[in-house]
Amino acid sequence: MADIDVSTYFFTAAVPVCNEGIVEHRSLVGTKGVLKSSPIHIVREILETLPTALQSHATEEIGLNSPFSRNLRTHFTRLVILDQPHFNGRDHSNALVNSIKGTNLLDPQPVDQISCPYILWMIDFDLPDPRGAGEPRRYFEELWGQMAPELRSIFQYCYGFDAVKDAAAFATYILRCQIETTMPFHDYWYVPPKLDPISTTGLALIPGAGVLMLLASLLACLLRWSGWHWAAGFAGWSGWSWMPWAGLALLILGLVIDYYWVLWKGRQPYPASPGADLRNVLKGLYLQQAFTRFAMEQQRRDPAERGAAFRTFLAATRPADLDGPTQPAGVIRSKLPGDGA
Amino acid sequence: MTNATNTAPAATLLDLADIQGGILRTYGDGFPKGRNFYLTVRDARKGRAFVEALLPKITTAARWKDPNREEPLLRTRNPRVKDIARAEGEPDYPGRVQLMKPKVTLNIGFTFTGLLALGVPTRTLRGMPDDFIDGMEARAALLGDDPFLAKRDAVWRDSKGDKRVHILLTLYAQQNPDGTACAELDAETDAIVALCDHAQGGVVLLGGVGPTNARWQDLSAVMRQDGERCWPTNKEHFGLSDGFGDPVFSGQFSGEAERVRVAGGGKLMADGSWQPLATGEFLLGYPDEAQEVPGAAMPIAFSRNGTFMAYRKLHEEVGTFHAYIDEQARRYAQTHQVPHEEAVDTIKAKMVGRWEDGVPLMVAPTFAAWQAFRAELDKARAEKDKAKLAEIALKFTNFIYASDPAGSKCPVTSHLRRANPRDTLGPTFAANGMSKDGSAIINRRRILRRGLPYGHYDANAPADDGDHGIIFMAICTNLFRQFEFVQQQWMQYGLDFNAGSDTCPVIGNHPAEDEPKLVIAVDPETRKPPFICDHIPQLVEPRGGDYFFLPSMTALRMIGMGIIDPT
């Protein structure tokens, strides 16, 4: 299942935006008053004015953090407007075939169209349970609790969104729009992962038995043909004519089982790399910055003082404690010592 | 993407509220007054703020309700095609309608240097077509404008450096019964001037329009006085009716309205039926007639639903025109033994391809046929025969040239037939008189025509001096392939029509040394000699203009916010 991998859920949804006529939209910001415009136009405006994380000088200057930073499971999220599938021109065809068939190239070919624009929503979030029990419903209910006004503003002009009144309804709504994620991406292992390899013996067992039976039958056949009847009799040929068929059947069955086994194995989520969930990453970023500063301070100190200083450092930064001090979500640098706690 | 099965193409779906209003609809006689502003941007940040401030005022193509919906059918002199839909009881603007018809419409366009001045990223700008980057002045030789460059209005002559025209604002307004513009036009003008003042030199309103160097270009339909009331007409200053037969493309109209408008307005298929032209000929981001998406600037959201416009101020030499027609008519009356008035009307009609009231020569090839057509129209109007009126209305646009390859009904080099040759250039005609290719050769050369006349002249003493003519706007997705081709190959040259280098008798260049002429062919059966209008004087002179990009609302917001990401 491509939705879950490395203890992370990769969620993709296509949410249809009602695009009939115009809407009267009261702007959230500024003094523009009521905007009369097409719903998708307003959705674009909302998305373009939605604060992004404070990860560039320009956004740090604005100081408004992304609402998604309120959630400590969200690695990243992306919202895209899908207007129409892009048309790539006529289907390729052979000029000679066209000529023989008398294809009229002036006849337009049909063009795919979608009847309304969609908001394509992609999210990458941590799973507390690697098997993903109760997800992604649990995540969306959590998210609604943390940023309901923003979610409402983004999806307000989507078909059927009127019915969303609470967290459960929001999760149900978004799940109905879910499409399978076929290409997730995430940070993977920096050391070789501890994988449970597929058993070569297990793979070889059934088809191997089939092959042995076929070989034995072939051997017996050769002996018989060469006139060594006694040897063939010894090999039990006379009463064993079912053996090549059974061998063939076992070989085919074994290959089929192996095929599905390999596919099943391939579908198993990759194990989570250690410390790859968001809270660990934030703590790691915090510690990196804190330790760099600590190391710079120690350069000018007497070596005798360093031990005590390091103990103070450990006490202050609590490396094993994910709850704090740590770097807040959605920013590019920690303001030391960790004010995210 | 295409499907393997070749089923009929689905109707194109357009996000009307994302498309600027002037593209899909002609503001027509509903907005007979107008005002155009030319601005330059000297500070990118202030320029963007100016665009942002204008954004809520921009008129889109979203359907609107007309509070005077119950207007009498066929109020104007000629039946309009949209009257047919109404006569048949169909709404000509179906779909959900939530807006009221505005008193004033506002649309915006940018020159290439304008986009540059507003800080549009280089990568996006690099995706713009060469013709648009060059601008109209650099293309003067191709358009036939070079003899007239020095005569342009100051605003266009000086359009360089910090006086370069960057932004065009076009306003169209409803009028009061006395023929003056509604008060809202002045209010909107004040608002625009105030916005420029607010920009403190960042955005400057450029003056220098016409002989008086006015601050903006005033427009007005030519009026018809009816007692105390003034009615707008579809005539320009030569007294000829204009504005029939605009192309009809997929998505422009819906349902019934498309069905009635497409006849004569869309593309002619080999079987004689009409279909709407591909949307991509007029809006960027959609497949065009070649089944390709026209090249456009990235990101695609910046280009999609936008288009290009050639904007031209065309001065009309009214005195010369009347004198010339009068002189030719005298000779024509003599050789053809007809009254002078008939000769005047005939020569005008042969130059244009339509009689002065818009009746096509293909429908009424002779003066007598035209009179009969008018009598039929008057009768239907008097009897309020809606079905008959609808039938007549269709005739204004629904015709082809198959029966007239030699141009004895409608001269092959008349203005109308040059601008849209329909089936003329199909090299082959089948037994039934149809071109085997329909209008395939023409379909990639169509333009949407918009605009209004400007200025006035004394009808009792028509003169060339003064400031009167037409603001002509051609809208298409590829200026080079569509507008420039029509202008260069068909208007300023005649080889496609076997007319050597004869230019269009109305808007073409007529230098005396070329001995410009128009051959009025006759049916050989009549055994009459053809009539040649010789030494045609210059009748129309370009007085400036430029190429503009008309962005979608999405692109306008991107420009205003400065958030175009071309990666």
Side-chain angles (χ1 to χ4, degrees):
Chain A
M1 187 163 103
D3 289 333
I4 291 180
D5 207 9
V6 286
S7 232
T8 307
Y9 200 101
F10 302 93
F11 181 85
T12 312
V15 190
V17 182
C18 169
N19 209 28
E20 200 197 344
I22 57 153
V23 290
E24 293 190 1
H25 179 79
R26 191 165 290 280
S27 185
L28 283 177
V29 286
T31 48
K32 278 183 186 168
V34 175
L35 276 176
K36 290 180 179 179
S37 195
S38 77
I40 192 65
H41 190 230
I42 301 289
V43 172
R44 283 180 193 279
E45 173 122 357
I46 289 162
L47 289 181
E48 278 160 8
T49 50
L50 192 71
T52 54
L54 306 181
Q55 289 170 341
S56 67
H57 289 301
T59 51
E60 280 186 323
E61 220 173 286
I62 296 167
L64 288 172
N65 207 343
S66 163
F68 288 96
S69 69
R70 293 170 211 157
N71 182 285
L72 283 184
R73 286 167 67 194
T74 312
H75 278 268
F76 82 82
T77 183
R78 172 170 292 172
L79 291 138
V80 178
I81 303 293
L82 195 66
D83 282 304
Q84 284 293 338
H86 199 67
F87 175 71
N88 283 324
R90 287 185 80 90
D91 292 339
H92 287 277
S93 56
N94 186 303
L96 293 175
V97 173
N98 285 341
S99 176
I100 293 162
K101 285 168 75 178
T103 310
N104 183 1
L105 294 175
L106 293 176
D107 271 351
Q109 281 183 339
V111 176
D112 284 348
Q113 291 195 83
I114 48 178
S115 53
C116 68
Y118 285 79
I119 301 176
L120 197 65
W121 192 14
M122 286 155 280
I123 325 167
D124 172 349
F125 60 87
D126 290 328
L127 291 176
D129 167 29
R131 304 198 67 79
E135 297 291 356
R137 171 171 286 280
R138 187 178 144 188
Y139 171 77
F140 285 112
E141 290 182 356
E142 204 176 283
L143 205 61
W144 184 263
Q146 287 156 335
M147 51 176 293
E150 287 88 354
L151 291 173
R152 204 189 291 279
S153 76
I154 294 168
F155 295 107
Q156 62 187 320
Y157 298 122
C158 291
Y159 278 108
F161 193 77
D162 298 347
V164 174
K165 302 287 179 222
D166 55 14
F170 175 69
T172 307
Y173 180 82
I174 289 296
L175 288 183
R176 269 170 54 205
C177 301
Q178 187 180 10
I179 50 182
E180 190 195 4
T181 305
T182 49
M183 200 172 138
F185 55 103
H186 197 51
D187 52 337
Y188 283 89
W189 291 70
Y190 59 95
V191 288
K194 288 186 190 118
L195 295 178
D196 174 23
I198 199 161
S199 158
T200 322
T201 324
L203 281 176
L205 198 65
I206 305 174
V211 168
L212 283 177
M213 285 164 79
L214 280 173
L215 282 176
S217 309
L218 186 69
L219 185 67
C221 188
L222 276 172
L223 292 174
R224 214 175 142 85
W225 172 72
S226 63
W228 284 27
H229 289 283
W230 63 269
F234 180 74
W237 174 252
S238 48
W240 293 75
S241 58
W242 53 269
M243 198 157 81
W245 302 111
L248 190 66
L250 267 184
L251 177 63
I252 292 170
L253 180 73
L255 288 177
V256 169
I257 288 173
D258 283 1
Y259 174 78
Y260 283 102
W261 192 10
V262 168
L263 282 193
W264 173 83
K265 192 73 185 171
R267 273 200 300 269
Q268 296 314 298
Y270 221 59
S273 60
D277 67 48
L278 184 68
R279 295 176 72 215
N280 267 298
V281 170
L282 290 171
K283 184 76 190 188
L285 289 170
Y286 169 77
L287 280 178
Q288 273 181 352
Q289 292 165 81
F291 187 75
T292 308
R293 186 160 295 187
F294 170 78
M296 288 193 296
E297 281 167 6
Q298 297 316 307
Q299 289 185 113
R300 290 176 191 80
R301 287 217 171 126
D302 190 316
E305 293 171 347
R306 285 184 191 157
F310 190 58
R311 274 188 290 280
T312 316
F313 171 79
L314 290 180
T317 55
R318 305 206 296 275
D321 185 357
L322 291 185
D323 290 334
T326 184
Q327 174 164 311
V331 300
I332 198 164
R333 71 192 100 228
S334 297
K335 289 181 193 143
L336 298 166
D339 56 351
Chain B
M1 272 182 284
T2 53
N3 298 328
T5 51
N6 203 353
T7 51
T12 305
L13 308 157
L14 297 179
D15 181 3
L16 297 179
D18 193 43
I19 301 167
Q20 287 206 58
I23 301 170
L24 259 67
R25 60 160 72 86
T26 49
Y27 291 125
D29 57 1
F31 299 88
K33 297 285 169 179
R35 204 165 270 179
N36 292 342
F37 298 85
Y38 318 107
L39 305 120
T40 194
V41 176
R42 292 180 187 160
D43 179 303
R45 191 179 274 255
K46 287 173 180 167
R48 289 196 291 268
F50 178 83
V51 173
E52 272 273 88
L54 274 185
L55 200 60
K57 292 170 178 269
I58 306 280
T59 311
T60 68
R63 313 291 194 210
W64 63 46
K65 278 193 192 93
D66 186 344
N68 307 316
R69 201 57 177 161
E70 298 311 316
E71 65 187 68
L73 195 73
L74 309 170
R75 188 195 62 203
T76 53
R77 205 164 154 221
N78 294 317
R80 295 160 300 179
V81 177
K82 74 174 177 186
D83 294 322
I84 304 170
R86 291 195 202 162
E88 292 178 1
E90 300 286 350
D92 58 335
Y93 254 18
R96 201 160 119 203
V97 181
Q98 295 155 290
L99 291 174
M100 291 309 281
K101 185 176 181 177
K103 282 290 204 184
V104 180
T105 68
L106 171 63
N107 289 112
I108 188 168
F110 302 90
T111 56
F112 178 78
T113 45
L115 295 175
L116 185 68
L118 286 164
V120 171
T122 309
R123 187 169 165 168
T124 303
L125 294 174
R126 279 203 317 208
M128 287 292 184
D130 296 350
D131 38 61
F132 173 66
I133 295 173
D134 281 350
M136 196 173 273
E137 185 176 342
R139 316 285 282 187
L142 193 152
L143 300 172
D145 287 357
D146 34 3
F148 312 102
L149 287 179
K151 285 188 169 183
R152 286 176 300 167
D153 282 359
V155 64
W156 301 111
R157 244 183 6 245
D158 302 340
S159 179
K160 294 169 191 74
D162 70 349
K163 287 189 170 176
R164 183 75 176 88
V165 174
H166 288 153
I167 299 178
L168 166 73
L169 297 180
T170 54
L171 271 66
Y172 289 97
Q174 298 189 29
Q175 69 164 19
N176 300 318
D178 66 353
T180 55
C182 65
E184 284 82 353
L185 182 61
D186 278 336
E188 284 301 322
T189 304
D190 292 345
I192 289 166
V193 172
L195 269 179
C196 290
D197 292 345
H198 183 71
Q200 292 172 328
V203 178
V204 177
L205 181 58
L206 296 168
V209 174
T212 59
N213 283 334
R215 295 187 76 190
W216 45 73
Q217 179 70 58
D218 269 311
L219 311 168
S220 171
V222 173
M223 295 292 165
R224 177 168 58 89
Q225 194 77 30
D226 180 11
E228 286 296 293
R229 289 204 67 166
C230 267
W231 296 103
T233 66
N234 59 354
K235 296 205 183 297
E236 39 67 69
H237 295 298
F238 289 158
L240 306 165
S241 296
D242 196 9
F244 302 95
D246 238 12
V248 171
F249 62 93
S250 186
Q252 187 184 12
F253 304 107
S254 41
E256 278 305 295
E258 181 181 279
R259 188 187 63 75
V260 292
R261 282 169 188 249
V262 79
K267 57 179 172 185
L268 181 64
M269 308 307 285
D271 64 359
S273 65
W274 293 90
Q275 276 187 16
L277 286 147
T279 314
E281 294 289 319
F282 306 100
L283 281 176
L284 293 166
Y286 299 86
D288 63 18
E289 278 299 322
Q291 290 267 285
E292 289 163 350
V293 178
M298 287 293 125
I300 193 69
F302 180 81
S303 295
R304 195 168 177 276
N305 285 337
T307 188
F308 293 100
M309 173 174 78
Y311 178 94
R312 287 166 82 71
K313 177 171 178 173
L314 301 174
H315 176 77
E316 295 184 277
E317 309 270 346
V318 182
T320 304
F321 177 77
H322 287 295
Y324 178 74
I325 299 287
D326 209 44
E327 182 225 335
Q328 295 291 314
R330 211 166 294 135
R331 194 158 60 85
Y332 186 92
Q334 214 168 22
T335 53
H336 283 71
Q337 308 290 314
V338 293
H340 183 72
E341 290 310 308
E342 181 180 331
V344 167
D345 276 329
T346 307
I347 287 179
K348 276 192 209 167
K350 294 284 181 181
M351 284 171 91
V352 177
R354 291 181 186 276
W355 296 95
E356 56 91 7
D357 59 355
V359 176
L361 279 176
M362 286 312 295
V363 172
T366 62
F367 188 81
W370 177 42
Q371 294 304 319
F373 184 94
R374 288 174 64 151
E376 193 183 7
L377 176 59
D378 287 342
K379 182 164 168 275
R381 198 178 282 139
E383 291 171 359
K384 293 199 166 75
D385 182 348
K386 288 184 181 179
K388 186 74 189 168
L389 284 169
E391 187 194 317
I392 292 174
L394 263 182
K395 289 187 177 172
F396 278 79
T397 52
N398 188 10
F399 56 89
I400 53 173
Y401 298 111
S403 64
D404 186 32
S408 59
K409 290 181 193 163
C410 178
V412 182
T413 55
S414 63
H415 178 72
L416 180 80
R417 206 159 160 176
R418 282 172 181 265
N420 178 12
R422 297 175 185 236
D423 57 334
T424 299
L425 297 181
T428 49
F429 287 106
N432 60 0
M434 296 296 304
S435 159
K436 285 176 188 162
D437 295 319
S439 58
I441 292 170
I442 319 301
N443 296 343
R444 306 209 76 202
R445 315 286 180 199
R446 303 299 310 278
I447 49 173
L448 295 168
R449 290 169 306 142
R450 304 286 183 255
L452 264 185
Y454 67 90
H456 302 281
Y457 67 93
D458 181 358
N460 298 318
D464 296 345
D465 301 341
D467 200 32
H468 44 76
I470 283 187
I471 296 294
F472 170 85
M473 299 191 263
I475 294 174
C476 52
T477 48
N478 190 326
L479 290 164
F480 174 67
R481 165 165 60 77
Q482 292 163 278
F483 165 70
E484 288 186 346
F485 183 93
V486 173
Q487 174 73 15
Q488 184 192 32
Q489 293 294 315
W490 289 350
M491 292 301 165
Q492 301 286 24
Y493 197 38
L495 204 63
D496 279 1
F497 311 104
N498 294 324
S501 52
D502 275 1
T503 59
C504 172
V506 186
I507 68 158
N509 286 1
H510 304 143
E513 63 270 25
D514 287 358
E515 299 182 339
K517 63 182 184 300
L518 165 74
V519 179
I520 300 176
V522 288
D523 188 348
E525 306 261 312
T526 62
R527 298 190 165 272
K528 279 185 182 169
F531 186 84
I532 301 176
C533 295
D534 53 359
H535 302 287
I536 308 178
Q538 191 68 34
L539 299 175
V540 172
E541 282 180 7
R543 290 281 160 91
D546 215 329
Y547 291 157
F548 291 90
F549 174 56
L550 308 180
S552 67
M553 297 304 286
T554 302
L556 273 176
R557 198 186 54 255
M558 291 164 94
I559 293 170
M561 291 171 117
I563 50 155
I564 304 158
D565 181 2
T567 52

